[in-house]
Amino acid sequence: DAGVIQSPRHEVTEMGQEVTLRCKPISGHNSLFWYRQTMMRGLELLIYFNNNVPIDDSGMPEDRFSAKMPNASFSTLKIQPSEPRDSAVYFCASSLAVSGNTIYFGEGSWLTVV
Amino acid sequence: EDQVTQSPEALRLQEGESSSLNCSYTVSGLRGLFWYRQDPGKGPEFLFTLYSAGEEKEKERLKATLTKKESFLHITAPKPEDSATYLCAVQADTGGFKTIFGAGTRLFVKA
């Protein structure tokens, strides 16, 4: 079975540009998570969805960040405008929305904002 | 506030030298504790889930144990290919399906 699929794998963009990261969760999973990983802060949960509905976005750093899940097989994380401090690895993960269930990660999108 | 603390930050072992990694957690109610392995340039790879104190799980040279306040990942006779970052995460009763991670332990195993 295909795992969580993320695109792009690598992106270099200039400060001020819009960045869109994409995620396809594992088929049948109904929870989707966006994490950000940096050396300084480790893995931080940005937002998660259950059945395509955002449940907790308290980790979204500021209004420049937005996430959508228009259907069960696709989600986007958008940064507009991007800043150098947004440089990080962004991971998408999915699971079945069952208490204590394991979440499975994609390979990440490596973002560099110059 | 739910918290996960891992120690040590980094661990250097000789091949065959067994050791343990620690994960201390503070949550209002534990739904699950997870261990992941992360290799450079890759996403975290699931290893184990533990649900209640006293539970143990094993996979090859790895064994995970759980108490009411901490979990240990025991590595028996490690090999260089066990070198990676090991992440601990918890899902709490009050967090919906929110899963929070510790900072990880970077393990280096020298041949």
Side-chain angles (χ1 to χ4, degrees), chain A residues 35 37 50 99-100 102-103 107, chain B residues 31 36 38 43 49 91 99:
Chain A
Y35 284 86
Q37 188 174 42
N50 278 354
S99 177
T102 302
I103 64 173
E107 294 290 4
Chain B
R31 285 183 174 174
Y36 289 81
Q38 187 174 23
T49 306
Q91 189 182 103
T99 303

Side-chain angles (χ1 to χ4, degrees), chain A residues 48 50 55-56 98-100, chain B residues 31 91-99:
Chain A
Y48 79 95
N50 278 354
I55 302 299
D56 186 341
V98 174
S99 177
Chain B
R31 285 183 174 174
Q91 189 182 103
D93 268 343
T94 56
F97 298 106
K98 186 183 215 177
T99 303

Side-chain angles (χ1 to χ4, degrees), chain A:
Chain A
D1 284 342
V4 176
I5 299 172
Q6 294 186 243
S7 65
R9 287 297 317 276
H10 299 272
E11 174 131 358
V12 180
T13 191
E14 291 186 347
M15 182 173 64
Q17 295 298 304
E18 178 178 294
V19 174
T20 299
L21 308 179
R22 297 172 178 81
C23 176
K24 177 179 169 56
I26 293 171
S27 178
H29 282 186
N30 55 353
S31 283
L32 183 138
F33 306 79
W34 282 102
Y35 284 86
R36 178 172 68 177
Q37 188 174 42
T38 61
M39 287 293 292
M40 292 295 293
R41 301 173 68 91
L43 260 175
E44 302 174 276
L45 178 64
L46 301 178
I47 184 171
Y48 79 95
F49 297 81
N50 278 354
N51 298 311
N52 313 337
V53 176
I55 302 299
D56 186 341
D57 66 354
S58 59
M60 295 286 260
E62 48 197 276
D63 291 346
R64 297 184 297 106
F65 286 69
S66 62
K68 293 182 179 179
M69 193 164 185
N71 57 62
S73 58
F74 183 66
S75 177
T76 59
L77 178 68
K78 187 175 293 186
I79 308 172
Q80 165 64 18
S82 58
E83 297 183 1
R85 60 191 167 123
D86 301 330
S87 299
V89 185
Y90 291 82
F91 287 103
C92 178
S94 72
S95 76
L96 286 171
V98 174
S99 177
N101 218 31
T102 302
I103 64 173
Y104 295 91
F105 284 80
E107 294 290 4
S109 291
W110 294 68
L111 174 65
T112 302
V113 183
V114 297

Side-chain angles (χ1 to χ4, degrees), chain B residues 2-3 5 14 18 22 26 33 41 46-47 51 57 60-61 75 80 89 93-94 104-105:
Chain B
D2 301 327
Q3 283 194 331
T5 303
Q14 288 292 128
S18 301
N22 177 262
T26 305
L33 184 141
F46 169 70
L47 293 173
Y51 294 104
K57 288 194 176 169
E60 296 180 354
R61 294 177 292 283
I75 303 176
D93 268 343
T94 56
T105 293

